[in-house]
Structure formats: C-alpha cells, structure tokens
Amino acid sequence: MAHNRTPLDDAMIQTGLGDLPNWQGDRSGITRTVELPSFPAAIAVVDAVAQVAEEMDHHPDIDIRWRTLTFHNVTYSENAVTALDFQLAHRIDDVVARY
Ligand SMILES: C[C@H](O)[C@H](O)[C@H]1CNC2=NC(N)=NC(=O)C2=N1
C-alpha cells in the first residue's frame, strides 16, 4: 500500500513537477527559488512556511539571501523524494502567493 513516504521514481517526480511550474528537481529533491519584495516579506514567508511545516511535520531546507528564498524539499527519513515533498511544495506556493 503506497503512502506519503513511498520513494518516488523519476517518472513520478516529473509528473508531480508538471503541476508545480515554479519547481524543478529530481530524486535528490525538489527546489523553488523566489524573490520577495523585501527582506521582511521574505522572513514573513519563512515564518508562515515554518507553521505549515510544523503542521505537516515535514520541513523544507530554506536558504535565505536578502529577498531571495530557496526551498528544497526531500524526505530525509527515506533519503528520497516522496508525496510529502510535493504536498509541502503546493503549500509553499500557497504561502508565497500571499506576498
Ligand atoms: C520525528 C519527525 O516526524 C521526523 O523527524 C520528521 C520531521 N520533518 C521532516 N522533514 C523532512 N523533510 N524529512 C523528514 O524525514 C522529516 N521527518
């Protein structure tokens, strides 16, 4: 029975990325880079994403460079990309769309 933490193969990952035009990646992880209008706005996005991550118990790697954020999603416990990484990516897009 497949579940959220089942490692996805290349085909599944590319299919998932088809629904996430702002994201790219492969089995090592999926990534989005986005520039916000200001540094405070970027930090507000990080805070909102942190709340989503806590709710999901699934956390992105986040690189913060002034107004530019890079999110990297991978499922560490599986050392693979899973459905959780895609679910988190959609939730991150929802947060970013508000800023
Ligand atoms: C105990 C807790 O459920 C695990 O450590 C969670 C926390 N957040 C996580 N986040 C990510 N990206 N991968 C994980 O495997 C993971 N595991």
Side-chain angles (χ1 to χ4, degrees), residues 68-87:
T68 300
L69 300 177
T70 298
F71 297 98
H72 181 82
N73 300 350
V74 64
T75 302
Y76 284 102
S77 63
E78 308 298 326
N79 190 28
V81 169
T82 72
L84 283 171
D85 300 308
F86 285 99
Q87 288 166 18

Side-chain angles (χ1 to χ4, degrees), residues 3 17 39 41 43 51 94:
H3 57 83
L17 290 171
F39 184 65
I43 298 304
Q51 293 173 52
D94 294 345

Side-chain angles (χ1 to χ4, degrees), residues 5 7 9 11 16 23 27 35 38 42-45 49 51 53-55 60 63 68-70 72 86 94-95 99:
R5 306 179 81 90
D9 63 22
W23 294 72
R27 289 181 184 216
E35 182 171 341
S38 69
I43 298 304
V45 167
V49 169
Q51 293 173 52
E54 286 292 284
E55 172 200 318
D63 180 279
T68 300
L69 300 177
T70 298
H72 181 82
F86 285 99
D94 294 345
V95 169
Y99 288 83

